[in-house]
Amino acid sequence: MRELLSELRAWHDAGTAFALATVVSVRGSAPRAPGAMMAVTADGAVAGSVSGGCVEGAVYEVAGEVLATGSPQLQTYGISDDEAFGVGLTCGGTIEVFVRSFASAADRDRLREVADSIGRGEPVAVATVISGEAEPGACLVVRARTTQGTLGDEGLDSAVTDDARGLLAQGATGALRYGAHGERRMQEVSVFVQTYAPPPRMLVFGAIDHAAATARMGSFLGYRVTVCDARPAFATRDRFPTADEVICAWPHTYLRATDIDERTVICVLTHDPKFDVPLLVAALRTPAAYIGVMGSRRTHLDRAARLREAGVDAAELARLASPVGLDLGARTPEETAVSIAAEIIQHRWGGTGRPLGELTGAIHGRATGSPPGS
């Protein structure tokens, strides 16, 4: 929904009815993950994408039907579907798309409230019945301490609220199944829970040219980027216009005082032991998902020895991505930033880092990692 915020707000303000199509399930290889959205207005305007072009035409037609009837639809597109070739899903996967109407002012108001929460960076989850023994399209909005709406049953609301908050804490999105009254390990009701956690953080230490390129790449990937350096002449907003914040402080002092979670990535580009060692000692005590450190192999060996002297053990040292990045042959700061970003993505999803042309099997869905947020 982040991709559609401006359009949804504009349509809300204009009182425009629209249908919202959401990918709720992916099996095999597919171009977009669960949670991808496409919106279609009553006059035919389109925003967003559910498949990168494969099934948009078919979903557009369904959206028109849903707007005309007011009845939600759950559609499956894939190679097992007789119409798969006709709608163009040739990438070998199957996707399920749930389409519902936002024709009423009340529905659009609720969606606008969710959009506003997302825009403010507030955690929010939206749980929607997509099939089974409950009203399709029934919606429950879950926040940290409050809920809004109902799925039609108190027990179901309670179970989904608990699970939605758990998914929100993980930054995960997906379909869950329950009994009609929220019973666990039953299959009567399918509920799609889409979470909108605040963007994950990227902390870049060392205000050098490589840091500027890395910050730009982090912003492009959807991270909230902080650049930190102890030198006032280097840690300036002018040098890092794409960063969300630029901090002038000793790196290890700042790191110990800021919030780090399991989605945070840390890029240490300082090249100076007086910064690196205390910073990395502090970083290795955090739950950060990734800690990458720039430097030559000789620098890495010297740094590792200094860290061992500071009390870092072998298991902690193994967490370091050092030297940072994948072997792409990078030379420029921008190429190096791509190399760092590639390693972060590989670490997140469990990819091999090898050329896809050398591999067989599914392209998407091969990995076992989890995303930093929806």
Side-chain angles (χ1 to χ4, degrees):
M1 193 184 298
R2 286 189 176 91
E3 300 173 359
L4 306 179
L5 287 182
S6 61
E7 288 89 352
L8 295 180
R9 286 168 173 157
W11 293 342
H12 171 273
D13 294 345
T16 301
F18 59 90
L20 194 60
T22 305
V23 176
V24 297
S25 175
V26 170
R27 295 187 295 278
S29 177
R32 302 211 66 189
M37 286 183 169
M38 183 175 87
V40 180
T41 68
D43 59 4
V46 179
S49 169
V50 292
S51 71
C54 294
V55 302
E56 264 69 9
V59 173
Y60 179 90
E61 297 297 328
V62 172
E65 295 173 9
V66 168
L67 280 168
T69 65
S71 300
Q73 293 189 34
L74 179 64
Q75 295 286 338
T76 301
Y77 304 98
I79 58 172
S80 61
D81 191 312
D82 290 340
E83 299 179 350
F85 194 78
V87 299
L89 188 64
T90 58
C91 53
T94 301
I95 63 173
E96 286 187 309
V97 180
F98 183 75
V99 188
R100 64 156 298 182
S101 171
F102 286 84
S104 75
D107 284 343
R108 291 196 300 272
D109 286 347
R110 182 175 300 173
L111 191 65
R112 174 59 187 260
E113 291 175 4
V114 171
D116 288 344
S117 291
I118 296 170
R120 292 191 296 266
E122 299 170 357
V124 60
V126 180
T128 305
V129 174
I130 58 174
S131 67
E133 298 179 11
E135 180 184 356
C139 182
L140 180 69
V141 178
V142 180
R143 293 181 171 85
R145 292 183 173 81
T146 63
T147 62
Q148 182 182 14
T150 180
L151 303 180
D153 179 88
E154 184 177 347
L156 183 59
D157 286 347
S158 178
V160 172
T161 296
D162 287 345
D163 290 343
R165 286 175 176 153
L167 290 174
L168 193 57
Q170 300 171 31
T173 283
L176 305 174
R177 292 186 176 275
Y178 304 88
H181 305 292
E183 299 92 339
R184 308 290 180 174
R185 297 188 298 277
M186 298 184 72
Q187 304 289 315
E188 284 82 1
V189 180
S190 182
V191 179
F192 183 70
V193 181
Q194 186 155 13
T195 64
Y196 301 96
R201 300 188 69 191
M202 172 183 280
L203 306 183
V204 181
F205 293 97
I208 61 176
D209 288 347
H210 288 82
T214 301
R216 290 195 298 273
M217 184 59 67
S219 296
F220 177 75
L221 292 177
Y223 287 92
R224 177 175 176 80
V225 178
T226 298
V227 176
C228 177
D229 195 292
R231 300 166 295 180
F234 291 89
T236 66
R237 168 57 63 184
D238 288 345
R239 298 189 71 235
F240 300 96
T242 65
D244 293 283
E245 56 182 357
V246 180
I247 303 295
C248 184
W250 278 82
H252 69 283
T253 302
Y254 172 75
L255 184 67
R256 288 171 178 162
T258 196
D259 293 329
I260 307 294
D261 63 20
E262 292 81 359
R263 301 183 302 150
T264 303
V265 300
I266 298 173
C267 300
V268 179
L269 314 179
T270 46
H271 286 302
D272 189 331
K274 71 174 178 289
F275 294 127
D276 286 1
V277 173
L279 171 59
L280 290 172
V281 169
L284 289 168
R285 304 293 192 263
T286 73
Y290 170 92
I291 306 171
V293 195
M294 180 173 281
S296 67
R297 297 192 187 282
R298 182 174 180 178
T299 298
H300 166 72
L301 293 174
D302 177 72
R303 182 189 297 124
R306 292 173 184 270
L307 288 170
R308 283 191 289 268
E309 291 174 1
V312 174
D313 62 30
E316 291 172 326
L317 280 175
R319 291 183 61 197
L320 296 180
S322 176
V324 69
L326 295 187
D327 179 17
L328 304 182
R331 294 291 185 271
T332 68
E334 289 74 19
E335 290 174 345
T336 302
V338 171
S339 168
I340 294 170
E343 186 174 47
I344 290 171
I345 294 168
Q346 179 200 27
H347 187 84
R348 182 196 310 167
W349 294 109
T352 65
R354 294 172 57 195
L356 289 172
E358 295 180 358
L359 304 175
T360 59
I363 294 175
H364 305 286
R366 176 192 305 278
T368 58
S370 59
S374 300

